[in-house]
Amino acid sequence: MKTRVIAIDGPAGAGKSTVAKDLAKKLKFIYLDTGAMYRALTLKALRRRIPLDDQKALVSLLRDTNIEIKSQKDGRLSIILDNEDVTPLIRTNKVTENVSYVAKMPKVRTIMAGLQRKFGKKNNIVVEGRDIGTVVFPNAEKKFYLDADFKERVRRRYKELKEIDKNIIETKIKRDLKERDTKDLTRKVAPLKKAEDAIYLDTTNLTIEEVVQDIIKEING
Ligand code: DC
């Protein structure tokens, strides 16, 4: 059976996760959060005190790692790292601050892309990341590039993080997001880039529901 792949890329805070999750539910596809895979590996590397600039060690760690993404009945995802549920742990500041070192390693990316393609061969998926339409699934059925004004992305992140950490300050979020944008856009391997055939959606003034509906319209052609 040929499976179906819907690719969603874009910068942090553009609404990818919420949109992808909701879209997958509506299409009855499986949602694949590729950022969570890089985050899970980063968590394991930090725990083992593996230097994040040591590609060889990271590759060998990844080869010895089992990352599973499980959808719960309520649509939420659980990220299972070697049989341990690490869902909240991969969203901590420590992981967020360090994940780009792991994500910029070419050999790590090659293995991750292989795992993602394998998953896409078995399931109909809505897959979200930075290089999905350009590198991982260049032949995806439909590709979307979600974007939003920087100010709006900061506002969304602030709202999201405020629920986890009441003391979070907006200036720090602004600084972190700017830094992440720069790293995602300028890394040598698979930088964040709109695929030529991706549909560009500016979500600044749209609700999640509106974005999902726009995407569904495009898919149904
Ligand atoms: O989407 P996110 O914030 O969970 O992504 C975490 C990090 O992983 C972020 O620094 C970008 C990187 N990433 C990537 O390089 N390629 C992907 N396909 C997904 C995420």
Side-chain angles (χ1 to χ4, degrees), residues 26-121:
K26 291 207 163 74
L27 295 174
K28 298 199 168 62
F29 283 17
I30 292 181
Y31 163 49
L32 179 59
D33 175 358
T34 60
M37 298 170 71
Y38 289 99
R39 285 173 180 271
L41 179 64
T42 305
L43 175 67
K44 185 164 173 178
L46 288 169
R47 281 174 166 177
R48 301 257 177 115
R49 301 191 191 284
I50 287 174
L52 300 183
D53 57 355
D54 185 344
Q55 176 159 253
K56 223 170 146 190
L58 287 173
V59 165
S60 123
L61 186 74
L62 178 53
R63 292 222 160 97
D64 192 32
T65 297
N66 187 38
I67 301 170
E68 282 175 85
I69 303 187
K70 288 193 178 154
S71 297
Q72 303 300 341
K73 283 205 182 86
D74 61 3
R76 283 210 276 192
L77 285 193
S78 296
I79 315 301
I80 315 292
L81 173 67
D82 301 325
N83 292 324
E84 176 194 353
D85 188 338
V86 293
T87 312
L89 296 178
I90 61 165
R91 306 280 164 204
T92 58
N93 264 338
K94 180 108 179 141
V95 171
T96 303
E97 279 163 11
N98 285 290
V99 61
S100 54
Y101 297 104
V102 173
K104 75 175 182 192
M105 293 294 174
K107 289 184 179 151
V108 169
R109 298 201 69 87
T110 305
I111 300 175
M112 288 293 195
L115 294 171
Q116 292 153 16
R117 289 189 194 111
K118 206 166 143 192
F119 196 76
K121 275 220 166 86

XYZ file of all heavy atoms in Angstrom, residues 26-121:
772
model
N -7.973 15.068 12.127
C -9.072 15.208 11.161
C -8.898 14.251 9.979
O -9.872 13.715 9.462
C -9.144 16.647 10.665
C -9.604 17.610 11.757
C -10.292 18.831 11.170
C -11.105 19.575 12.211
N -10.289 20.341 13.152
N -7.669 14.046 9.544
C -7.432 13.172 8.387
C -7.356 11.699 8.781
O -7.273 10.829 7.934
C -6.106 13.550 7.700
C -5.996 14.934 7.051
C -4.572 15.170 6.562
C -6.973 15.071 5.889
N -7.296 11.455 10.101
C -7.059 10.114 10.657
C -5.685 9.585 10.210
O -5.518 8.406 9.879
C -8.178 9.145 10.288
C -9.523 9.573 10.841
C -10.497 8.406 10.875
C -11.736 8.693 11.676
N -12.556 9.791 11.160
N -4.713 10.488 10.182
C -3.327 10.137 9.893
C -2.574 10.132 11.223
O -3.087 10.610 12.237
C -2.674 11.190 8.989
C -3.064 11.113 7.534
C -4.185 10.412 7.109
C -2.310 11.774 6.571
C -4.550 10.360 5.773
C -2.661 11.726 5.234
C -3.780 11.024 4.830
N -1.349 9.658 11.188
C -0.526 9.716 12.396
C 0.350 10.961 12.338
O 0.876 11.323 11.270
C 0.300 8.423 12.539
C -0.680 7.293 12.837
C 1.341 8.555 13.637
C -0.045 5.959 13.033
N 0.466 11.626 13.473
C 1.267 12.850 13.557
C 2.693 12.484 13.947
O 2.910 11.817 14.947
C 0.621 13.776 14.595
C 1.500 14.886 15.104
C 2.206 15.711 14.235
C 1.610 15.143 16.463
C 3.002 16.738 14.716
C 2.400 16.171 16.954
C 3.098 16.956 16.065
O 3.889 17.965 16.539
N 3.645 12.935 13.140
C 5.054 12.672 13.469
C 5.778 13.993 13.758
O 5.920 14.844 12.870
C 5.726 11.915 12.314
C 7.217 11.603 12.507
C 7.449 10.749 13.755
C 7.790 10.889 11.292
N 6.204 14.135 14.997
C 6.899 15.337 15.447
C 8.406 15.048 15.398
O 8.951 14.431 16.305
C 6.423 15.648 16.882
C 7.150 16.808 17.500
O 8.062 17.364 16.862
O 6.795 17.175 18.642
N 9.062 15.494 14.330
C 10.480 15.129 14.171
C 11.376 15.899 15.144
O 12.434 15.403 15.534
C 10.970 15.354 12.722
O 10.808 16.732 12.390
C 10.205 14.495 11.748
N 10.938 17.097 15.550
C 11.711 17.856 16.543
C 11.826 17.072 17.841
O 12.864 17.082 18.510
N 10.752 16.341 18.181
C 10.750 15.544 19.420
C 11.827 14.461 19.355
O 12.405 14.087 20.383
C 9.372 14.913 19.629
N 12.111 13.958 18.160
C 13.146 12.922 18.028
C 14.527 13.514 18.327
O 15.328 12.917 19.048
C 13.115 12.321 16.616
C 11.794 11.637 16.288
S 11.627 11.164 14.551
C 12.790 9.819 14.416
N 14.794 14.704 17.774
C 16.080 15.363 18.073
C 16.161 15.724 19.558
O 17.216 15.646 20.177
C 16.249 16.627 17.210
C 16.507 16.307 15.758
C 15.483 16.342 14.820
C 17.777 15.930 15.340
C 15.717 16.028 13.491
C 18.016 15.608 14.009
C 16.985 15.664 13.095
O 17.222 15.335 11.777
N 15.039 16.107 20.116
C 15.008 16.469 21.544
C 15.288 15.240 22.423
O 16.021 15.327 23.407
C 13.641 17.062 21.904
C 13.438 18.483 21.406
C 12.003 18.962 21.644
N 11.813 20.319 21.180
C 12.032 21.402 21.930
N 12.412 21.275 23.185
N 11.861 22.609 21.435
N 14.698 14.104 22.064
C 14.891 12.894 22.872
C 16.358 12.469 22.863
O 16.927 12.121 23.903
C 13.997 11.766 22.339
N 16.986 12.545 21.687
C 18.405 12.177 21.617
C 19.252 13.159 22.441
O 20.193 12.757 23.130
C 18.879 12.156 20.155
C 20.354 11.797 19.972
C 20.653 10.370 20.428
C 20.795 11.975 18.512
N 18.884 14.436 22.379
C 19.625 15.455 23.151
C 19.522 15.167 24.644
O 20.518 15.241 25.374
C 19.048 16.865 22.843
O 19.087 17.072 21.433
C 19.833 17.956 23.552
N 18.327 14.804 25.088
C 18.127 14.483 26.505
C 19.038 13.329 26.927
O 19.708 13.387 27.964
C 16.654 14.125 26.749
C 16.312 13.641 28.157
C 16.476 14.769 29.175
C 14.871 13.096 28.223
N 19.069 12.304 26.082
C 19.887 11.138 26.431
C 21.375 11.517 26.468
O 22.110 11.113 27.377
C 19.637 10.011 25.422
C 20.362 8.726 25.780
C 19.794 7.552 25.011
C 20.607 6.286 25.222
N 20.060 5.129 24.537
N 21.804 12.323 25.507
C 23.211 12.741 25.451
C 23.574 13.582 26.673
O 24.650 13.417 27.256
C 23.466 13.524 24.163
N 22.668 14.466 27.083
C 22.929 15.313 28.266
C 23.038 14.450 29.519
O 23.921 14.651 30.353
C 21.812 16.350 28.442
C 21.777 17.503 27.428
C 20.470 18.285 27.556
C 22.967 18.439 27.615
N 22.137 13.482 29.619
C 22.154 12.592 30.793
C 23.460 11.809 30.873
O 23.985 11.574 31.938
C 20.996 11.598 30.709
C 19.668 12.191 31.125
C 18.592 11.162 30.848
N 17.337 11.454 31.491
C 16.256 10.695 31.321
N 16.292 9.624 30.544
N 15.141 10.997 31.946
N 23.936 11.383 29.699
C 25.174 10.587 29.671
C 26.427 11.448 29.641
O 27.533 10.938 29.482
C 25.182 9.702 28.414
C 24.039 8.750 28.315
C 24.509 7.361 28.689
N 23.397 6.447 28.675
C 23.277 5.423 27.841
N 24.202 5.193 26.944
N 22.235 4.636 27.916
N 26.219 12.745 29.664
C 27.323 13.725 29.599
C 28.193 13.521 28.355
O 29.427 13.592 28.414
C 28.185 13.661 30.857
C 27.388 13.948 32.103
C 28.275 14.149 33.301
N 27.477 14.170 34.512
C 26.728 15.190 34.899
N 26.692 16.293 34.181
N 26.020 15.121 36.003
N 27.542 13.265 27.253
C 28.271 13.122 25.989
C 28.472 14.522 25.402
O 27.508 15.283 25.313
C 27.481 12.214 25.024
C 27.601 10.781 25.541
C 27.961 12.341 23.593
C 26.784 9.776 24.832
N 29.697 14.881 25.046
C 29.915 16.215 24.483
C 29.095 16.380 23.201
O 29.160 15.519 22.315
C 31.417 16.262 24.180
C 32.007 15.073 24.845
C 30.920 14.075 25.086
N 28.344 17.452 23.114
C 27.406 17.583 21.999
C 28.089 17.949 20.683
O 27.436 18.029 19.646
C 26.307 18.586 22.344
C 25.460 18.224 23.578
C 24.365 19.238 23.804
C 24.854 16.820 23.470
N 29.406 18.153 20.729
C 30.117 18.405 19.473
C 30.839 17.137 18.988
O 31.583 17.162 18.020
C 31.115 19.571 19.625
C 32.118 19.311 20.740
O 31.990 18.279 21.452
O 33.030 20.140 20.912
N 30.594 16.030 19.673
C 31.251 14.764 19.310
C 30.290 13.929 18.446
O 29.497 13.128 18.953
C 31.634 14.012 20.601
C 32.429 12.744 20.314
O 32.426 12.282 19.153
O 33.050 12.219 21.255
N 30.408 14.141 17.127
C 29.455 13.488 16.216
C 29.510 11.963 16.315
O 28.474 11.298 16.323
C 29.712 13.932 14.775
C 28.819 13.214 13.780
C 28.665 13.929 12.470
O 27.626 14.494 12.180
N 29.699 13.898 11.663
N 30.720 11.443 16.406
C 30.884 9.996 16.455
C 30.138 9.404 17.661
O 29.420 8.405 17.559
C 32.378 9.672 16.567
C 32.794 8.539 15.687
C 34.284 8.408 15.646
C 34.621 6.938 15.512
N 36.032 6.698 15.691
N 30.311 10.059 18.794
C 29.656 9.577 20.016
C 28.137 9.707 19.907
O 27.399 8.817 20.341
C 30.173 10.365 21.219
N 27.680 10.785 19.289
C 26.226 10.979 19.142
C 25.628 9.926 18.216
O 24.550 9.394 18.474
C 25.922 12.377 18.608
C 26.123 13.541 19.582
C 25.954 14.877 18.872
C 25.145 13.451 20.755
N 26.357 9.614 17.150
C 25.877 8.608 16.199
C 25.810 7.250 16.883
O 24.815 6.525 16.763
C 26.784 8.552 14.945
C 26.539 7.292 14.142
C 26.547 9.775 14.084
N 26.837 6.941 17.634
C 26.828 5.632 18.285
C 25.734 5.577 19.359
O 25.073 4.560 19.550
C 28.250 5.311 18.758
O 28.303 5.070 20.091
N 25.510 6.698 20.020
C 24.408 6.768 20.995
C 23.054 6.555 20.304
O 22.213 5.781 20.766
C 24.424 8.141 21.692
C 23.432 8.320 22.829
C 23.898 7.548 24.060
C 23.276 9.797 23.197
N 22.880 7.219 19.167
C 21.609 7.115 18.442
C 21.369 5.682 17.960
O 20.242 5.185 17.993
C 21.604 8.103 17.255
C 20.371 8.117 16.349
C 19.085 8.311 17.148
C 20.478 9.204 15.283
N 22.447 5.027 17.523
C 22.310 3.643 17.041
C 21.861 2.712 18.168
O 21.298 1.658 17.931
C 23.648 3.146 16.472
C 24.011 3.865 15.205
C 24.583 2.904 14.153
N 24.474 3.489 12.826
C 25.446 4.132 12.189
N 26.628 4.228 12.749
N 25.251 4.657 10.996
N 22.138 3.149 19.382
C 21.820 2.337 20.542
C 20.576 2.875 21.275
O 20.407 2.669 22.474
C 23.045 2.377 21.475
C 22.962 1.341 22.567
O 22.376 0.282 22.302
O 23.455 1.618 23.679
N 19.755 3.600 20.548
C 18.618 4.278 21.172
C 17.329 3.898 20.480
O 17.295 3.743 19.263
C 18.814 5.820 21.063
O 19.972 6.172 21.801
C 17.619 6.588 21.605
N 16.285 3.748 21.264
C 14.985 3.470 20.677
C 14.039 4.636 20.992
O 13.772 4.919 22.158
C 14.455 2.148 21.236
C 13.195 1.728 20.526
O 13.078 1.902 19.315
N 12.237 1.216 21.274
N 13.599 5.317 19.935
C 12.673 6.439 20.148
C 11.330 6.063 19.540
O 11.256 5.730 18.355
C 13.202 7.737 19.485
C 14.577 8.117 20.040
C 12.211 8.886 19.673
C 15.279 9.237 19.286
N 10.301 6.100 20.364
C 8.962 5.793 19.852
C 8.058 6.989 20.086
O 8.167 7.660 21.113
C 8.358 4.633 20.628
C 8.864 3.278 20.234
C 8.261 2.250 21.172
O 7.144 1.802 20.912
O 8.915 1.955 22.190
N 7.182 7.215 19.131
C 6.216 8.295 19.301
C 4.841 7.656 19.299
O 4.449 7.033 18.311
C 6.371 9.334 18.180
C 7.818 9.843 18.201
C 5.366 10.456 18.336
C 8.130 10.965 17.292
N 4.155 7.770 20.420
C 2.856 7.101 20.532
C 1.732 8.119 20.632
O 1.828 9.065 21.429
C 2.839 6.221 21.786
C 3.690 4.988 21.643
C 3.394 4.014 22.764
C 4.227 2.754 22.595
N 4.470 2.078 23.854
N 0.687 7.912 19.859
C -0.466 8.815 19.958
C -1.408 8.289 21.021
O -1.758 7.110 21.013
C -1.230 8.848 18.636
O -0.424 9.353 17.634
N -1.815 9.167 21.913
C -2.793 8.776 22.942
C -4.202 8.956 22.380
O -4.383 9.613 21.355
C -2.620 9.638 24.202
C -1.240 9.594 24.801
C -0.830 8.186 25.229
O -1.650 7.315 25.410
N 0.471 7.969 25.356
N -5.173 8.415 23.108
C -6.563 8.500 22.635
C -7.031 9.952 22.503
O -7.809 10.291 21.623
C -7.487 7.745 23.600
C -7.401 6.244 23.403
C -8.685 5.554 23.868
C -8.566 4.049 23.721
N -7.940 3.399 24.884
N -6.533 10.832 23.413
C -6.966 12.229 23.367
C -6.182 13.045 22.317
O -6.303 14.263 22.252
C -6.822 12.882 24.753
C -5.383 12.886 25.242
O -4.495 12.443 24.492
O -5.139 13.348 26.371
N -5.380 12.364 21.515
C -4.658 13.040 20.434
C -3.272 13.491 20.864
O -2.455 13.891 20.039
N -2.998 13.451 22.180
C -1.677 13.879 22.639
C -0.618 12.835 22.317
O -0.930 11.650 22.191
C -1.715 14.147 24.139
C -2.394 15.481 24.383
C -1.875 16.108 25.599
N -2.568 15.595 26.767
C -2.450 16.165 27.949
N -1.686 17.210 28.113
N -3.103 15.670 28.973
N 0.611 13.303 22.215
C 1.687 12.378 21.880
C 2.511 12.047 23.106
O 2.739 12.898 23.949
C 2.656 13.044 20.910
C 2.276 13.216 19.455
C 3.506 13.589 18.670
C 1.672 11.951 18.885
N 2.975 10.818 23.174
C 3.961 10.481 24.190
C 5.247 10.131 23.476
O 5.239 9.398 22.488
C 3.524 9.260 24.988
O 2.361 9.560 25.693
N 6.342 10.658 23.985
C 7.646 10.356 23.414
C 8.329 9.356 24.340
O 8.550 9.646 25.527
C 8.524 11.626 23.290
C 7.723 12.798 22.704
C 9.790 11.338 22.483
C 7.140 12.574 21.348
N 8.604 8.183 23.806
C 9.184 7.120 24.623
C 10.646 6.916 24.223
O 10.945 6.569 23.075
C 8.411 5.785 24.431
C 6.876 6.012 24.474
C 8.850 4.745 25.447
C 6.315 6.416 25.803
N 11.514 7.161 25.177
C 12.950 7.004 24.949
C 13.397 5.753 25.696
O 13.349 5.718 26.931
C 13.674 8.254 25.470
C 15.195 8.262 25.499
C 15.784 8.235 24.094
C 15.697 9.507 26.247
N 13.810 4.738 24.952
C 14.234 3.472 25.566
C 13.251 3.014 26.658
O 13.645 2.801 27.815
C 15.638 3.608 26.169
C 16.667 3.992 25.119
O 16.536 3.546 23.968
O 17.583 4.762 25.456
N 12.006 2.944 26.302
C 10.925 2.491 27.207
C 10.549 3.446 28.331
O 9.741 3.109 29.175
C 11.261 1.134 27.837
C 11.249 0.055 26.790
O 10.426 0.100 25.860
N 12.152 -0.897 26.899
N 11.135 4.645 28.344
C 10.768 5.624 29.390
C 9.981 6.766 28.747
O 10.401 7.315 27.718
C 12.060 6.177 30.024
C 11.800 7.268 31.047
C 13.077 8.034 31.423
O 14.185 7.633 30.980
O 12.945 9.049 32.132
N 8.874 7.128 29.351
C 8.096 8.251 28.831
C 8.800 9.558 29.205
O 8.885 9.917 30.381
C 6.683 8.217 29.424
C 5.768 9.245 28.758
O 6.299 10.219 28.183
O 4.538 9.078 28.803
N 9.325 10.262 28.196
C 10.087 11.492 28.465
C 9.356 12.734 27.930
O 9.970 13.778 27.725
C 11.513 11.408 27.853
C 12.359 10.360 28.559
C 11.458 11.132 26.344
N 8.053 12.595 27.717
C 7.292 13.671 27.068
C 7.543 15.056 27.688
O 7.896 15.982 26.957
C 5.784 13.329 27.062
O 5.653 11.995 26.590
C 4.999 14.263 26.168
N 7.377 15.239 29.020
C 7.630 16.600 29.536
C 9.114 16.944 29.564
O 9.485 18.101 29.386
C 7.062 16.568 30.958
C 6.732 15.165 31.270
C 6.933 14.307 30.076
N 9.949 15.925 29.751
C 11.388 16.180 29.926
C 12.074 16.751 28.681
O 13.068 17.461 28.782
C 12.103 14.882 30.336
C 11.681 14.297 31.685
C 12.420 12.998 31.942
C 11.981 15.303 32.795
N 11.529 16.442 27.507
C 12.199 16.943 26.294
C 11.852 18.406 25.992
O 12.361 18.979 25.040
C 11.896 16.080 25.043
C 10.402 16.064 24.731
C 12.441 14.662 25.206
C 10.072 15.558 23.332
N 10.966 18.983 26.789
C 10.571 20.395 26.566
C 11.240 21.345 27.554
O 10.901 22.523 27.606
C 9.050 20.574 26.690
C 8.232 19.654 25.821
C 8.114 20.099 24.388
N 7.659 19.015 23.552
C 7.867 18.909 22.252
N 8.518 19.842 21.600
N 7.437 17.875 21.578
N 12.124 20.834 28.384
C 12.770 21.715 29.361
C 13.727 22.676 28.644
O 14.169 22.414 27.527
C 13.592 20.901 30.382
O 14.560 20.139 29.652
C 12.728 19.966 31.206
N 14.045 23.787 29.337
C 14.977 24.777 28.792
C 16.299 24.160 28.403
O 16.875 24.485 27.377
C 15.281 25.827 29.859
C 14.386 27.021 29.685
O 13.865 27.249 28.600
N 14.207 27.774 30.747
N 16.762 23.288 29.268
C 18.078 22.668 29.060
C 18.125 21.940 27.705
O 19.081 22.077 26.948
C 18.326 21.683 30.219
C 19.609 20.975 30.158
C 20.576 21.484 31.204
C 21.853 20.688 31.102
N 23.049 21.341 31.261
N 17.082 21.185 27.412
C 17.036 20.469 26.135
C 16.861 21.464 24.986
O 17.574 21.400 23.969
C 15.917 19.401 26.128
C 15.732 18.809 24.737
C 16.233 18.291 27.130
N 15.947 22.422 25.158
C 15.702 23.409 24.095
C 16.983 24.168 23.755
O 17.273 24.435 22.589
C 14.581 24.383 24.534
O 13.426 23.610 24.849
C 14.234 25.370 23.443
N 17.760 24.504 24.776
C 18.986 25.270 24.542
C 20.068 24.440 23.849
O 20.948 24.985 23.214
C 19.550 25.776 25.878
C 18.846 27.032 26.352
C 19.087 27.320 27.824
O 19.962 26.673 28.430
O 18.373 28.185 28.360
N 20.007 23.131 23.987
C 21.094 22.293 23.460
C 20.766 21.502 22.193
O 21.673 20.991 21.535
C 21.557 21.313 24.546
C 22.386 22.026 25.599
O 23.506 22.442 25.336
N 21.820 22.227 26.780
N 19.478 21.417 21.860
C 19.083 20.527 20.762
C 19.697 20.923 19.415
O 20.002 20.058 18.585
C 17.538 20.401 20.678
C 16.875 21.722 20.419
C 17.114 19.381 19.645
N 19.954 22.213 19.205
C 20.478 22.602 17.889
C 21.892 22.063 17.652
O 22.295 21.885 16.504
C 20.427 24.110 17.701
O 21.072 24.720 18.769
N 22.653 21.804 18.714
C 23.995 21.220 18.529
C 23.870 19.810 17.965
O 24.638 19.390 17.099
C 24.758 21.172 19.864
C 24.998 22.539 20.431
C 24.247 23.013 21.506
C 25.963 23.377 19.868
C 24.453 24.287 22.007
C 26.173 24.650 20.366
C 25.411 25.102 21.429
O 25.603 26.356 21.905
N 22.887 19.089 18.458
C 22.663 17.717 17.993
C 22.073 17.735 16.576
O 22.485 16.960 15.707
C 21.712 16.990 18.979
C 21.313 15.629 18.452
C 22.365 16.874 20.353
N 21.141 18.677 16.352
C 20.431 18.721 15.068
C 21.322 19.186 13.919
O 20.966 19.010 12.763
C 19.203 19.629 15.185
N 22.459 19.775 14.247
C 23.294 20.226 13.125
C 24.308 19.165 12.660
O 25.017 19.360 11.685
C 23.993 21.542 13.465
C 25.153 21.456 14.405
C 25.776 22.843 14.525
C 26.987 22.800 15.423
N 27.466 24.105 15.804
N 24.327 18.023 13.326
C 25.279 16.971 12.959
C 24.776 16.193 11.734
O 23.734 15.518 11.806
C 25.440 15.976 14.124
C 26.100 16.570 15.328
S 27.788 16.968 14.898
C 28.309 17.803 16.382
N 25.493 16.257 10.604
C 25.007 15.624 9.363
C 24.678 14.147 9.526
O 23.649 13.683 9.027
C 26.167 15.803 8.384
C 27.028 16.870 8.960
C 26.787 16.934 10.425
N 25.544 13.401 10.225
C 25.300 11.950 10.315
C 24.098 11.631 11.192
O 23.389 10.654 10.964
C 26.560 11.237 10.817
C 27.627 11.239 9.744
C 28.849 10.463 10.136
C 29.843 10.507 8.987
N 31.217 10.400 9.452
N 23.890 12.451 12.209
C 22.700 12.281 13.057
C 21.457 12.532 12.211
O 20.488 11.778 12.248
C 22.747 13.260 14.263
C 21.419 13.285 15.002
C 23.891 12.894 15.205
N 21.527 13.573 11.383
C 20.368 13.910 10.545
C 20.067 12.791 9.550
O 18.907 12.482 9.294
C 20.610 15.223 9.782
C 20.817 16.425 10.664
C 20.545 17.714 9.905
N 19.135 17.853 9.606
C 18.241 18.399 10.422
N 18.605 18.886 11.586
N 16.976 18.465 10.085
N 21.117 12.188 8.988
C 20.890 11.119 8.011
C 20.144 9.958 8.672
O 19.199 9.419 8.097
C 22.245 10.609 7.462
O 22.938 11.749 6.960
C 22.078 9.593 6.367
N 20.572 9.600 9.875
C 19.905 8.475 10.565
C 18.471 8.851 10.919
O 17.536 8.073 10.715
C 20.691 8.055 11.822
C 22.109 7.606 11.436
C 19.968 6.925 12.568
C 23.009 7.288 12.610
N 18.297 10.052 11.444
C 16.939 10.500 11.815
C 16.022 10.491 10.589
O 14.895 10.007 10.653
C 16.978 11.917 12.401
C 17.579 12.012 13.771
S 16.553 11.173 15.007
C 17.268 11.850 16.512
N 16.528 11.002 9.463
C 15.705 11.056 8.243
C 15.318 9.637 7.821
O 14.182 9.392 7.397
C 16.455 11.770 7.127
N 16.246 8.697 7.978
C 15.962 7.297 7.638
C 14.838 6.744 8.507
O 13.928 6.075 8.007
N 14.900 7.044 9.795
C 13.848 6.569 10.719
C 12.499 7.185 10.339
O 11.459 6.524 10.363
C 14.191 6.961 12.168
C 15.418 6.303 12.803
C 15.756 6.954 14.137
C 15.135 4.809 13.016
N 12.542 8.474 9.979
C 11.286 9.158 9.631
C 10.682 8.582 8.346
O 9.473 8.370 8.246
C 11.562 10.670 9.497
C 11.909 11.306 10.835
C 12.783 12.557 10.739
O 12.918 13.150 9.672
N 13.368 12.953 11.855
N 11.548 8.279 7.373
C 11.047 7.697 6.108
C 10.462 6.309 6.353
O 9.430 5.947 5.778
C 12.184 7.600 5.084
C 12.585 8.954 4.570
C 13.549 8.846 3.394
N 14.143 10.144 3.163
C 15.429 10.457 3.390
N 16.275 9.530 3.803
N 15.857 11.681 3.183
N 11.118 5.562 7.210
C 10.637 4.222 7.534
C 9.221 4.310 8.121
O 8.335 3.544 7.775
C 11.593 3.604 8.560
C 11.635 2.112 8.540
C 12.823 1.619 9.323
C 12.488 0.360 10.073
N 13.484 0.001 11.053
N 9.043 5.261 9.012
C 7.747 5.471 9.648
C 6.688 5.860 8.597
O 5.557 5.389 8.615
C 7.888 6.572 10.706
C 6.758 6.637 11.672
C 6.645 5.698 12.685
C 5.794 7.633 11.579
C 5.594 5.756 13.584
C 4.739 7.699 12.468
C 4.638 6.754 13.476
N 7.127 6.691 7.664
C 6.219 7.153 6.608
C 5.869 6.061 5.604
O 4.883 6.172 4.882
N 6.693 5.045 5.535
C 6.397 3.931 4.621
C 5.281 3.057 5.173
O 4.562 2.402 4.438
C 7.643 3.045 4.456
C 8.584 3.550 3.400
C 9.157 2.359 2.592
C 9.819 2.826 1.323
N 11.222 3.214 1.536
